Amino acid sequence: MINNMIIAGVPRAGKSTISHRLAKQYGYQHISMDSIIAGFEKCFPETGVNTYAGLSSMDTLHVISGKIAPFIRAMLDSGEYDEFEPGMVLDINQLLPEDYIKYIDGANCKIAYFITSDVTPEERFAIQKRYDTEKDYTFYKPDEELREGAVYIVEQSICMKEQCQKYSLPYFETAREREQVFQYFLQEFDF
């Protein structure tokens, strides 16, 4: 069994859903890296981890990914979860495949990306509305802001897909037949 697992990708593509299922089905400890990133933003602004730094969506993704990937590697290298089998499943939005390869590949973990690259921004907006819950920070945002964000999410998904293809990393499109994709992942992915 894989000791540690990273589930990466874009918002509302099913990262948390699949991470929770892995935790329940296999006993992984679920860790929300998005919560850790929010903590860095609030408590350690000097790190430069800032989702709202005024950069473009893609520049923000590149900056945070490049800073958080070495942090994840340090978590994995700490050995803290090596004594548990399985260890942890990390659920993260802002980790690009290129940074996974540069900083994390070779650690005691595997990765899978969940994306929605094969939709229009308007279709992506509909996905957001369908899967947003009161627990999600975007639930109370106005539709105009969510529509603008949908453009960025499609752009980020396309970037992640291209990088996954370049580095031969597994990715799963969840815009359509989401539940079937989840079932396929859980049945076919080598844990």
Side-chain angles (χ1 to χ4, degrees), residues 5-25 28-35 89-94 112-115 124 131-133 135-137 174 178-179 182 185-186:
M5 187 74 203
I6 299 173
I7 303 296
V10 297
R12 302 314 155 261
K15 297 180 317 295
S16 295
T17 300
I18 209 70
S19 295
H20 286 288
R21 288 185 188 180
L22 286 172
K24 186 176 181 180
Q25 187 170 337
Y28 285 98
Q29 174 69 40
H30 177 255
I31 297 174
S32 170
M33 289 303 298
D34 295 338
S35 294
V89 57
L90 300 170
D91 166 3
I92 184 167
N93 170 22
Q94 295 159 311
Y113 282 83
F114 287 78
I115 59 173
R124 187 57 181 84
Y131 293 108
D132 255 359
T133 68
K135 294 178 182 178
D136 297 313
Y137 74 95
T174 60
R178 177 184 172 111
E179 192 56 42
F182 290 165
F185 171 79
L186 290 169

Side-chain angles (χ1 to χ4, degrees), residues 88-185:
M88 61 183 154
V89 57
L90 300 170
D91 166 3
I92 184 167
N93 170 22
Q94 295 159 311
L95 178 63
L96 287 167
E98 66 188 8
D99 290 320
Y100 170 81
I101 293 296
K102 183 176 181 180
Y103 296 105
I104 303 170
D105 193 29
N108 185 16
C109 75
K110 279 197 173 182
I111 193 165
Y113 282 83
F114 287 78
I115 59 173
T116 54
S117 68
D118 62 348
V119 294
T120 66
E122 191 58 33
E123 290 171 315
R124 187 57 181 84
F125 167 75
I127 291 168
Q128 183 90 24
K129 293 300 280 187
R130 180 174 179 187
Y131 293 108
D132 255 359
T133 68
E134 292 179 1
K135 294 178 182 178
D136 297 313
Y137 74 95
T138 53
F139 185 78
Y140 299 102
K141 290 192 174 201
D143 285 354
E144 180 180 309
E145 191 174 339
L146 293 178
R147 279 193 167 87
E148 182 179 327
V151 173
Y152 304 140
I153 292 171
V154 171
E155 179 182 42
Q156 291 176 4
S157 288
I158 291 168
C159 175
M160 288 179 185
K161 178 180 179 177
E162 289 170 352
Q163 288 188 15
C164 282
Q165 291 171 335
K166 178 179 179 179
Y167 297 113
S168 300
L169 295 174
Y171 67 91
F172 299 85
E173 291 276 359
T174 60
R176 296 172 183 80
E177 300 178 0
R178 177 184 172 111
E179 192 56 42
Q180 290 87 339
V181 173
F182 290 165
Q183 291 305 318
Y184 174 78
F185 171 79

